Amino acid sequence: MTGPTPHYSALALLRARLAGGGFWRPLWTGRLLKQAYDVVVVGAGGHGLATAFHLARDHGLKVAVLEKRLVGYGNVGRNTTIVRSNYLLPENHYFYEDSLRRWETLSKDLNYNVMYSPRGVVDLALSDGDMIGAARRGNAMRLAGIDCEMMDRAALDRFCPELVASRDRRFPIFGALVQHRGGTVRHDAVAWGYARAATALGVDIIEDCEVTGLRTAAGVATGVETVKGYVQANRVLFATAGHTGMIGTMLGVTLPIETHLLQAMVTEPIKPMLNTVLVYVHPGHGETYLLQSDKGGLVMGGYLDGFPSYTREGQWSRMEDVVQGAIAMLPQAAGVKIVRQWAGINDMTMDGSPIIDRLRYDNVFLNAGWCYGGFKTIPASGAACAKLVASGTAPDLIKAYRLSRFETGHMLDERGGGPFPVRL
Amino acid sequence: MTRLTCPFCGPRELREFEFHKTLPEPGSTPYARVYERVNRLDDSLEHWQHVQGCRGWLLVRRNPSSGAVLETVILGGGAQ
């Protein structure tokens, strides 16, 4: 059942119902691999699909997306769905803010409901020092024209009553930095929405198609070897978060990337209790971010597991830290059972910021190193990365994300932690 | 992977240890030693420290795809 992708609307649904015909079609299956493309994108995750969508829509290029497993199998379906732009460094907050603005209209742009929910992101402060840090970050954001609000305990009690910020605690809550336009987006819908919209523009999405090598001639890439045969390509983009180290090995480049697991978990569904996203960084211990999904489960995650791994299993000790943080915030949720736990494989760069640049060859590009920020930047990354691939010049928004910044000393170290991804 | 065996202290829970970094390729430039990381699917050679135990530095060989620890050696060898 292939054919043109139907436009989704209440009217179209009603019309199809009255006509008695089928309306729902597969969103992206049924495409066959052609011999040659303008651009071959490796990896059908959020960034690969978004870039393919923009390459086709904004630049009119013939694009294939090759995926080793399934659309959205990796981190786009494994994150905790949070979107925000409350970053400290200018290079980061302009980029993340561009992304947040795109989330606001993405459902319309893709004609697919991605369920953007601007429920606010509350970064809790647990000490005077935290309050000063929050004010510093908040001021930097305001100077860039990004919304945020410093809340004290009383204001937090009004904004998020379930938190009971004024409750007596082992580590009392002093206040919070709140970004109201931050919130959540349904992550799977983002992958599906981009895949569907890209397919409608003629992009071929090929699943079960592992790329095994890059063919080059006279210093430029000519195509990629895949398990389904050779594909000729004028340009190649690698967007294979988690396995970028393997791409480096394939191309003979060692990258400033370490591969870590980040885990998340969800409880059984409960009645609506939490109206926002809570972020809790426990002094010297760990971090927990907590939200309630639309199905009612409490979704939570924390820090990296802390050492290289491709297992997609989380460490018990980290899970314990995350749950302890969740219970410290919402003690009333202590009896709720966790029903699922999973992990994603993350590219951690040596400054915590992404890499969008050429890789070794003039017509080979890399979109990688998303650390914790991959999901929330998908729309901005797709648009900017497509510009880079199509024109060969990086737009201003992503100029700072060049690969050479580590060598030239222009790191974007948001955390100020030096060249280690996990030091707490 | 839930435990590491410290050659000095014996098998201990993983949270007692801290991963430092993977070993650079021999002959790497100073830049590469600081910023680049070797990512291997099946055989990763790493420095760890038993921070909540003997504080000894360990050389650990692991398979990051299966989680299996292949070898643990204490560095310096002076712990005994």
Side-chain angles (χ1 to χ4, degrees):
Chain A
M1 258 215 352
T2 49
T5 311
H7 184 82
Y8 289 168
S9 71
L11 191 65
L13 203 57
L14 187 68
R15 241 187 232 147
R17 180 79 181 174
L18 291 176
F23 178 69
W24 304 107
R25 289 172 194 285
L27 302 185
W28 62 79
T29 53
R31 298 299 186 102
L32 292 173
L33 194 58
K34 297 190 186 82
Q35 281 190 334
Y37 292 92
D38 293 326
V39 184
V40 163
V41 176
V42 182
H47 292 271
L49 291 168
T51 308
F53 166 74
H54 283 281
L55 282 168
R57 192 192 72 172
D58 307 345
H59 306 280
L61 294 171
K62 220 170 80 181
V63 184
V65 184
L66 311 182
E67 166 60 43
K68 182 179 173 179
R69 298 195 193 220
L70 302 166
V71 163
Y73 178 82
N75 295 341
V76 69
R78 292 167 185 269
N79 58 77
T80 46
T81 76
I82 300 167
V83 296
R84 58 185 173 87
S85 65
N86 53 357
Y87 282 71
L88 173 69
L89 300 177
E91 292 86 348
N92 281 336
H93 55 220
Y94 285 118
F95 180 71
Y96 285 83
E97 177 62 10
D98 181 75
S99 207
L100 194 53
R101 291 205 182 128
R102 287 172 189 271
W103 283 120
E104 288 167 354
T105 60
L106 193 70
S107 294
K108 260 197 173 147
D109 295 343
L110 297 181
N111 181 228
Y112 198 92
N113 187 6
V114 299
M115 299 165 72
Y116 167 58
S117 158
R119 60 183 71 179
V121 173
V122 176
D123 254 312
L124 295 171
L126 305 180
S127 66
D128 270 336
D130 278 1
M131 285 298 271
I132 293 167
R136 179 180 174 225
R137 184 146 59 112
N139 284 335
M141 289 164 65
R142 288 244 177 139
L143 284 171
I146 303 168
D147 76 296
C148 65
E149 186 185 342
M150 280 292 284
M151 283 190 185
D152 60 11
R153 235 177 255 143
L156 261 179
D157 271 337
R158 283 191 301 275
F159 181 67
C160 181
E162 281 299 328
L163 179 64
V164 199
S166 48
R167 173 193 283 144
D168 187 30
R169 295 165 194 263
R170 171 78 176 80
F171 292 103
I173 292 169
F174 279 58
L177 181 67
V178 181
Q179 185 178 29
H180 291 285
R181 287 158 56 244
T184 62
V185 174
R186 188 182 174 207
H187 53 189
D188 293 321
V190 175
W192 300 336
Y194 271 116
R196 172 179 174 274
T199 302
L201 291 165
V203 172
D204 292 344
I205 298 171
I206 317 285
E207 295 173 303
D208 294 317
C209 185
E210 183 180 357
V211 170
T212 52
L214 184 77
R215 212 184 272 184
T216 59
V220 285
T222 53
V224 292
E225 309 278 359
T226 77
V227 292
K228 294 190 175 177
Y230 174 70
V231 190
Q232 209 180 311
N234 292 338
R235 273 155 272 185
V236 180
L237 169 72
F238 289 102
T240 54
H243 287 75
T244 307
M246 276 66 256
I247 303 300
T249 309
M250 192 196 286
L251 270 66
V253 183
T254 312
L255 292 162
I257 286 176
E258 210 167 85
T259 311
H260 287 260
L261 287 188
L262 186 60
Q263 58 174 315
M265 58 213 84
V266 62
T267 69
E268 59 192 328
I270 51 175
K271 286 185 178 177
M273 69 175 296
L274 186 59
N275 59 352
T276 187
V277 178
L278 296 176
V279 182
Y280 179 92
V281 182
H282 191 284
H285 181 190
E287 178 182 8
T288 304
Y289 26 92
L290 180 70
L291 59 100
Q292 190 166 21
S293 77
D294 294 332
K295 258 194 296 192
L298 294 173
V299 181
M300 57 195 123
Y303 273 136
L304 302 169
D305 273 13
F307 54 89
S309 179
Y310 297 94
T311 57
R312 292 199 169 100
E313 295 163 5
Q315 282 305 310
W316 171 256
S317 56
R318 179 62 78 227
M319 192 176 173
E320 212 176 0
D321 294 344
V322 170
V323 170
Q324 282 173 355
I327 292 172
M329 278 188 284
L330 295 181
Q332 64 270 48
V336 185
K337 290 181 183 66
I338 288 174
V339 290
R340 276 188 302 128
Q341 174 270 0
W342 64 94
I345 309 174
N346 286 30
D347 288 346
M348 300 305 299
T349 59
M350 293 303 130
D351 62 355
S353 297
I355 297 166
I356 311 176
D357 202 350
R358 282 194 169 77
L359 186 63
R360 184 155 177 194
Y361 302 100
D362 203 41
N363 60 345
V364 176
F365 300 87
L366 180 69
N367 179 323
W370 287 101
C371 301
Y372 308 96
F375 177 68
K376 64 179 89 80
T377 51
I378 287 170
S381 155
C385 187
K387 264 188 205 166
L388 167 67
V389 173
S391 72
T393 315
D396 286 343
L397 208 55
I398 57 167
K399 272 204 173 112
Y401 298 149
R402 61 190 179 275
L403 181 55
S404 65
R405 69 174 185 270
F406 299 94
E407 219 154 349
T408 59
H410 296 89
M411 269 80 71
L412 301 170
D413 195 350
E414 186 81 22
R415 195 169 43 98
F420 292 95
V422 279
R423 290 291 162 81
L424 301 185
Chain B
M1 184 180 165
T2 55
R3 281 179 166 195
L4 265 184
T5 303
C6 172
F8 187 61
C9 308
R12 294 296 182 92
E13 230 193 295
L14 198 65
R15 65 189 316 159
E16 289 189 9
F17 299 86
E18 193 176 271
F19 167 80
H20 180 63
K21 64 198 263 195
T22 50
L23 260 61
E25 304 274 15
S28 297
T29 60
Y31 159 75
R33 283 171 173 274
V34 176
Y35 289 104
E36 291 181 352
R37 295 292 191 274
V38 176
N39 288 280
R40 288 213 188 89
L41 277 178
D42 54 349
D43 192 357
S44 185
L45 200 56
E46 303 160 351
H47 278 152
W48 288 65
Q49 191 185 11
H50 193 186
V51 283
Q52 288 170 52
C54 63
R55 297 197 62 82
W57 281 90
L58 311 175
L59 185 65
V60 179
R61 207 156 64 79
R62 283 190 319 120
N63 180 331
S65 298
S66 70
V69 181
L70 306 171
E71 197 184 356
T72 313
V73 179
I74 198 148
L75 289 172
Q80 283 86 353

